[in-house]
Amino acid sequence: MLLDDISVRKTGRTTRGARYASSQRGLLALVELHQHAIELEAIEEETPTPNAISPAILRDLLTCLHFRDENTFLHSRRVSLIVVGLAKQLCWNAEAIREIELAAMLHDIGKIGIPDHILFKPGRYTIEEASLMSLRTSIAEDILDICCIPLRIRNIIVESRLPFSRMEDYLRPLGKDLSQAGRLLAVADAYESLSRDQIYRDAKSGPEINKILNERAGSMYDASIVQTLIRWVENGGEAALQDVGKESAMNGMTAQSGASLAMTSLSNIFSHLYTLEQAYDGFVIVGVEGKILLANRGCREIFQQADRDWSGQLWNGELCPQADAYQNLLSDDNLPVYRTMTDKMPSTTTIKVPQPENLWEELEVQSIPMFDFNEELIGVGEFYRRKQRNRVESAKFRELSLQASRDALTGVANRGTLENQLSRAMANFKDDPIENLFSVVYLDIDHFKSINDTFGHATGDDVLVTLAKLLREEAYASEFVARYGGEEFVIVCPGLTASQAFKRAERFRLEIAKLKFETATSLKITSSFGVSQVEERDSLESVLMRADKALYQSKDQGRNRSTLLQQSDIHQENKPESSRAGFVFEASINGVLFDNFLILKLQGFAEQNHAKLLKVQEGNVQFQFGRKRFFKRWGKNAEYQPVRVEIDARAALSAHGSRSNSQRLNVKITPIGIPANPEMFKLRAQYAYSTLRSHFLSQD
């Protein structure tokens, strides 16, 4: 059996092995577990199906879980019966039912290795304890990967721990919905837990459970699956759970000779995995032939391949590109793993890994050679730690990250999170335009200023909070809702075409008109919408500009309506925006300057005023003053009213040489984006000019 083979062995290490014995002992146990899992698979009489599990491996994992805590084992057994009942009610095929049954039986396997004082604590967890408990899913994924459990089953377990709606986790990237299997397991797990006595509370009654699940439906759980479970219970499905625990399926197993010792050994492996998951951002174990034995999700995330199965693949620069400090990609022979195999000595080095948008991430890499009991090299363990890693406990750090991602008033995502998600969505679209299509819906509350003026700012806040709550409830689980600023909101709709997104906007618009407000019972509001779908040859700026322009068409046409604009609806003018009448500001500055000094002066100005240099040539400098928004329309604050400032001294240099007692510097200011009107631009340009002028020794 698997457990018998990983029990304690004699250790006769000497010389080189003795030097690293303590650091590699846990790694060796993982390798041995993987090798024996492969052996058990190989001796199965029947040829396994793609998502089958060796009965011997499944039996041994469940035996270990039963030995660790019988209540957790029985909970997993009951959850497996529930998911099978629900899957049959939903008319799943036999293979899908078997997959989710196995996932349910193994979903709590990560609890092996958690200390008793945490696992059985009767009160609320501390930050440190919650951080450790939050790793149980990662540990389950690691151990199941080592034991050759198929990726589909591992993914079901991982997805069951995620909230159904993206509104509950704005850090989750835009993309596909959670699988139905993951959503079903989450509901079954919650129901079974609520229906049983726990150390920290008594079991809930049927009506209490239904109330709790319905309150969380649409946010934490899939509402349709919650209703499916309620119908299953009403139809007598719970009767299947009555006999679980009366005679445990594991009775007698743990009484086998040596089983207790083997269980302890496997529990130590779990404890080692907890240490690795806490200490490092990612780790991988590579066999001596270069094949990957285990690469945890953190490692795959570092190389932008979190959802791929790396087991058995060759470790090389194509799969996991790495570079030196100067961003020169390393050849396979120079990868730290293979250098360690050659030198047979531990090493620590720094590498850079390419990231999206031409960025690089710096990592510290620790490589440890692994030797068997005959001093033969069997592989290398490699561990990654981000240079900029936040050392705060993961649970607390994630809580703070989630808080930072939300708008403080409404609770939906804030502008910064929106911009990150849109950038990622656009990058995914460029990689696969068919699979990663998305649309953008932009809305603005009509006459919001008059609401504040008439009813007060408290009512204005009530309107924003109530509208945001409606958007959260009406949005699909895959959609992303954010407050862009003021009374402006954005909904990103993955997978929806322009016409589908337009229908979504109309549904939102009609529901908003029905809203009622506690602070002003007579108040009724309307909203205007702009809709755009990403298309071929689009940039992120262009698709958002169309949505913004569509919104303003809705407002110009009387408000309380939706407008859809596509590429074919936009006719770009040949002349640049900034050349329109009323949107050019020209002046001059007289100063005692020469060309190099001009550039130094303007560099100093840019640093002091958070400006951005755009162009530097002899006698001509251009820079951006103010921050650009995703939408071209200017914001209400000067910070989001960007202008391009051009300083031209070429004529003066040509007439007087490189040095002169007096130079006339021509200043030209044009808007970046779309000002609301010429007067707004004029005020902004005058402020930029006066700020620039005060930076020089002017002779005006």
Side-chain angles (χ1 to χ4, degrees), residues 286-533:
V286 180
V288 70
E289 66 284 341
K291 290 185 178 180
I292 299 171
L293 305 182
L294 170 65
N296 79 328
R297 182 171 291 267
C299 175
R300 302 196 306 273
E301 285 176 348
I302 288 171
F303 295 101
Q304 307 298 305
Q305 300 185 57
D307 296 324
R308 288 188 57 186
D309 189 359
W310 279 7
S311 299
Q313 295 194 46
L314 285 175
W315 182 264
N316 55 42
E318 182 179 355
L319 180 68
C320 42
Q322 302 172 39
D324 60 20
Y326 302 101
Q327 299 173 9
N328 299 312
L329 289 174
L330 302 174
S331 65
D332 288 353
D333 290 342
N334 286 319
L335 294 176
V337 160
Y338 293 117
R339 290 206 310 268
T340 300
M341 284 188 186
T342 301
D343 299 339
K344 298 183 180 180
M345 294 289 291
S347 67
T348 300
T349 187
T350 297
I351 63 168
K352 289 188 175 181
V353 174
Q355 302 292 305
E357 301 181 10
N358 297 318
L359 300 177
W360 294 83
E361 183 169 40
E362 192 173 29
L363 298 138
E364 179 188 86
V365 182
Q366 181 181 358
S367 303
I368 298 178
M370 297 184 297
F371 302 93
D372 63 15
F373 296 97
N374 296 316
E375 298 295 330
E376 293 294 328
L377 182 73
I378 61 172
V380 171
E382 195 158 87
F383 310 93
Y384 302 92
R385 181 181 285 112
R386 291 183 170 91
K387 285 285 191 174
Q388 303 299 322
R389 188 183 192 212
N390 193 307
R391 302 301 298 171
V392 184
E393 291 83 3
S394 59
K396 183 176 181 181
F397 176 64
R398 182 166 181 81
E399 180 183 351
L400 293 173
S401 297
L402 286 171
Q403 291 176 3
S405 71
R406 292 189 171 103
D407 175 65
L409 176 63
T410 62
V412 299
N414 57 27
R415 180 169 58 198
T417 307
L418 170 68
E419 293 175 351
N420 290 336
Q421 292 282 16
L422 283 171
S423 295
R424 188 176 298 171
M426 194 67 198
N428 292 339
F429 175 77
K430 295 295 185 183
D431 290 340
D432 189 341
I434 297 176
E435 187 71 20
N436 298 312
L437 177 77
F438 69 92
S439 293
V440 177
V441 177
Y442 191 47
L443 77 91
D444 189 279
I445 302 173
D446 296 329
H447 305 296
F448 185 71
K449 185 176 183 302
S450 66
I451 295 175
N452 280 328
D453 294 342
T454 304
F455 296 94
H457 288 280
T459 297
D461 288 349
D462 186 20
V463 168
L464 294 172
V465 171
T466 305
L467 184 142
K469 183 174 183 292
L470 170 71
L471 296 178
R472 286 166 59 95
E473 293 172 349
E474 291 292 327
Y476 294 149
S478 61
E479 292 176 343
F480 185 84
V481 178
R483 182 186 178 196
Y484 192 72
E487 67 274 22
E488 304 166 352
F489 292 82
V490 178
I491 305 108
V492 185
C493 308
L496 294 193
T497 63
S499 59
Q500 292 170 329
F502 180 81
K503 291 178 181 178
R504 296 288 294 142
E506 280 293 277
R507 176 175 175 81
F508 287 131
R509 185 179 65 83
L510 295 174
E511 292 300 318
I512 288 172
K514 300 175 185 177
L515 287 175
K516 297 181 180 180
F517 307 97
E518 294 182 0
T519 56
T521 55
S522 63
L523 175 62
K524 293 292 182 182
I525 68 168
T526 60
S527 292
S528 299
F529 287 77
V531 181
S532 177
Q533 173 204 310

Side-chain angles (χ1 to χ4, degrees), residues 589 591 593-596 598-599 602 617-621 646-658 660 662-667 696:
I589 298 174
L593 297 169
F594 54 91
D595 188 47
N596 291 336
L598 167 65
I599 294 175
L602 290 176
Q617 290 183 340
E618 184 178 4
N620 183 269
V621 178
E646 180 181 1
I647 312 295
D648 195 340
R650 286 173 292 190
L653 289 171
S654 176
H656 303 289
S658 62
S660 173
S662 178
Q663 289 179 342
R664 179 171 293 274
L665 309 177
N666 296 319
V667 179
F696 291 85

Side-chain angles (χ1 to χ4, degrees), residues 19 39 47 54 58 75 106 135 154 214 224 283 307 311 354 391 399 425 535 541 554 581 634 654 657 669-670:
R19 276 183 271 169
E39 292 170 3
T47 302
S54 162
L58 178 63
H75 163 75
L106 296 168
L135 292 175
R154 304 198 311 261
N214 280 317
S224 63
F283 61 89
D307 296 324
S311 299
R391 302 301 298 171
E399 180 183 351
E535 300 179 53
E541 185 179 56
S554 294
W634 273 17
S654 176
I669 301 176
T670 53

Side-chain angles (χ1 to χ4, degrees), residues 260-279:
S260 175
L261 189 60
M263 301 296 179
T264 302
S265 179
L266 190 54
S267 294
N268 289 337
I269 291 178
F270 277 87
S271 298
H272 184 66
L273 284 172
Y274 273 100
T275 300
L276 295 181
E277 288 283 356
Q278 284 185 302

